[in-house]
Amino acid sequence: RMPSCLLKLTKVVLSHKAWALFILIFMFVSFAYHKFYGGSTENPKSRGHPYGGSAEIDCAHHVPSSLNIAGGPSPSTGNVFFVETSEQTAPSYLFSCSVESAARTHPGSRVVVLMKGLAKGNASLPKHWAFSLLSCFPNVEIRPLDLTELFSGTPLGRWYLWPLRRWEPYFLPVLSDACRIVLMWKFGGIYLDTDFIVLKNLDNLTNALGIQDQDKLNGAFLSFKPKHKFMELCMQDFVQNYNGWVWGHQGPELLTRVFKKWCSLGTIKSMICNGVSALAPEVVYPIPWQNWKKLFEAVSALELQQLLKNTYAVHIWNKLSHGTKLEIPSQALLAQLYSQFCPATYAKMKQD
């Protein structure tokens, strides 16, 4: 026999079929998204060994002093920011390569890695090879990400504290979109997604963002002076035109909307407008997202040189490419990038 409380609940649900169906669909979509997104941001096979003896890295072996970075002068100019908004504390090879390549190309800057999953007030990092390796670089700082503190004093403070925010289907990428524009407005410097490999120093790309493809900007790379009016307008648009249910609305679409208003343009092209630069795709997005498989194709040294002639950094499009097998060593474009621009991470990949 059905218990009376369950019988009553069944009657209520049946009398509100439309609402019950909506709630069930909403909960299913949210649950499925979080399961998918949590599993798609990183390839488990690329993590290496998270604990044990392999977590210890010989800095003298992986970061030789000839690079003039180990034991070098204290960083003094600007910040390069990376942000991890999930609870993830087991960085992938690509994550490690992103930070290492930025540290090598910016020896005079602080490379700040902010991770939500790190315990606040705890000075020790988890025992993972990536943290040990990145700690070899004196200009790398790995810190907890305090989102309430970061958003305080900005238009996004109240947005973040809304209790139902975390049920939105694209909450994690939207949260990342929010962090980068607030970091640029509050502190200035350079922001990079954790799926970039940096080839050259980015300091001369000031008040700039990159064109992803025809008529669309992308925020995976941002470089702005603190309190810049463009970033202030981005924060205002984030709140005033908020829609967390449409993929990219708070990210590439937002930056594209604001830039078009900033320049009174209908179509975006490579240009400098009112002090803000829209960089040509080859500068930081030389491989279009539609052609991401090219990263896994073999290229000659000459082809690689020509392809990256005017490139400062390469976006790897990890959301699309994370499940693809990469042979190490090989002549694949991505393998050559690892080898040249994050050799310590590459050595760990070969070891594993």
Side-chain angles (χ1 to χ4, degrees):
R1 295 179 180 177
M2 185 180 294
S4 59
C5 60
L6 186 57
L7 184 60
K8 290 179 181 178
L9 179 61
T10 304
K11 290 179 178 179
V12 170
V13 170
L14 290 174
S15 64
H16 298 81
K17 291 180 181 179
W19 275 108
L21 182 61
F22 173 79
I23 292 170
L24 286 171
I25 292 173
F26 174 78
M27 292 178 68
F28 174 77
V29 170
S30 297
F31 175 77
Y33 171 77
H34 284 294
K35 291 290 287 183
F36 170 78
Y37 188 83
S40 67
T41 54
E42 179 178 294
N43 181 7
K45 294 181 181 179
S46 71
R47 291 179 185 173
H49 307 287
Y51 297 104
S54 64
E56 298 302 322
I57 297 291
D58 180 0
C59 290
H61 174 70
H62 288 291
V63 190
S65 57
S66 60
L67 289 172
N68 196 29
I69 186 166
S74 299
S76 57
T77 59
N79 294 313
V80 180
F81 290 102
F82 292 93
V83 174
E84 177 57 69
T85 52
S86 75
E87 298 294 331
Q88 179 61 252
T89 57
S92 66
Y93 295 122
L94 181 54
F95 186 114
S96 176
C97 182
S98 297
V99 179
E100 179 188 343
S101 62
R104 289 179 182 275
T105 51
H106 298 79
S109 300
R110 294 191 310 164
V111 179
V112 183
V113 183
L114 299 170
M115 302 185 73
K116 185 173 179 289
L118 294 181
K120 299 177 181 64
N122 187 352
S124 63
L125 293 169
K127 290 183 179 180
H128 188 278
W129 66 265
F131 294 127
S132 181
L133 186 153
L134 296 175
S135 296
C136 293
F137 294 86
N139 58 335
V140 172
E141 300 178 15
I142 303 173
R143 304 179 184 174
L145 173 61
D146 186 333
L147 291 165
T148 303
E149 179 182 351
L150 176 63
F151 294 138
S152 67
T154 75
L156 280 74
R158 292 182 62 186
W159 164 84
Y160 175 67
L161 294 176
W162 191 58
L164 297 182
R165 185 71 61 211
R166 288 149 189 78
W167 284 99
E168 293 176 353
Y170 304 121
F171 175 65
L172 281 179
V174 168
L175 187 58
S176 178
D177 293 331
C179 287
R180 67 192 70 185
I181 61 176
V182 172
L183 282 168
M184 289 296 94
W185 184 78
K186 275 193 168 183
F187 307 108
I190 296 165
Y191 167 84
L192 291 167
D193 275 0
T194 55
D195 57 349
F196 257 109
I197 298 179
V198 186
L199 318 187
K200 302 172 186 174
N201 189 286
L202 300 163
D203 286 339
N204 64 332
L205 304 179
T206 308
N207 300 330
L209 63 171
I211 298 175
Q212 169 184 297
D213 48 31
Q214 186 177 8
D215 203 35
K216 183 166 289 186
L217 296 167
N218 193 308
F221 159 81
L222 295 171
S223 177
F224 280 86
K225 293 182 178 179
K227 305 299 188 293
H228 197 281
K229 183 64 177 179
F230 184 85
M231 284 292 109
E232 183 180 340
L233 292 175
C234 287
M235 291 193 299
Q236 292 173 3
D237 186 282
F238 190 98
V239 176
Q240 292 170 2
N241 298 311
Y242 185 76
N243 187 340
W245 293 82
V246 177
W247 173 262
H249 185 81
Q250 302 303 118
E253 299 291 346
L254 180 151
L255 295 167
T256 302
R257 287 194 302 271
V258 174
F259 189 81
K260 285 182 175 180
K261 291 178 183 177
W262 179 265
C263 300
S264 300
L265 287 174
T267 303
I268 294 176
K269 56 186 177 181
S270 178
M271 62 185 299
I272 300 176
C273 177
N274 296 325
V276 176
S277 298
L279 304 174
E282 62 263 26
V283 179
V284 287
Y285 305 111
I287 308 297
W289 67 267
Q290 299 93 331
N291 297 337
W292 65 268
K293 290 183 180 179
K294 186 176 181 64
L295 291 161
F296 298 86
E297 297 173 2
V299 296
S300 68
L302 181 60
E303 285 179 293
L304 184 64
Q305 183 181 0
Q306 288 297 320
L307 179 66
L308 305 178
K309 184 178 180 181
N310 299 312
T311 299
Y312 282 72
V314 180
H315 193 219
I316 306 303
W317 308 108
N318 185 52
K319 190 165 181 62
L320 298 169
S321 66
H322 73 274
T324 307
K325 184 178 180 181
L326 176 65
E327 294 289 342
I328 295 293
S330 72
Q331 290 300 110
L333 193 161
L334 182 54
Q336 293 193 59
L337 292 176
Y338 274 113
S339 175
Q340 292 184 40
F341 301 103
C342 54
T345 301
Y346 183 70
K348 185 68 171 72
M349 295 171 76
K350 289 196 295 182
Q351 175 188 321
D352 290 347

